[in-house]
Amino acid sequence: MSALQTLAAVDGSLSSVGYGLAAIGPGVGVGIIFGNGTQALARQPEAAGLIRANQILGFAFCEALALIGLVMPFVY
């Protein structure tokens, strides 16, 4: 069997690979949110309540994308 035939013989569910790729975006987004939030808190500590509320809202939106990526392989 040549390498090309072996590569073409790969079968099974690739949903775990799909979820891994889908989790990259929210992971980067969460890092950006909390990194910029930390910088904002260092620059304006008096606005801590507003900054923290916006961080939590952004985190919830990013994690919703991760949950959608987790559910989509099971839909098909």
Side-chain angles (χ1 to χ4, degrees):
M1 234 177 169
S2 71
L4 184 59
Q5 290 173 340
T6 305
L7 182 62
V10 173
D11 60 348
S13 177
L14 295 176
S15 61
S16 60
V17 175
Y19 176 65
L21 292 174
I24 291 173
V28 170
V30 168
I32 290 172
I33 287 169
F34 285 109
N36 289 338
T38 303
Q39 287 181 358
L41 285 171
R43 292 175 188 235
Q44 284 189 318
E46 66 274 2
L50 180 63
I51 293 168
R52 191 169 294 119
N54 287 333
Q55 276 184 325
I56 291 171
L57 185 63
F59 175 75
F61 286 145
C62 282
E63 287 301 314
L65 290 175
L67 290 174
I68 290 171
L70 177 65
V71 170
M72 286 311 289
F74 297 111
V75 172
Y76 293 107

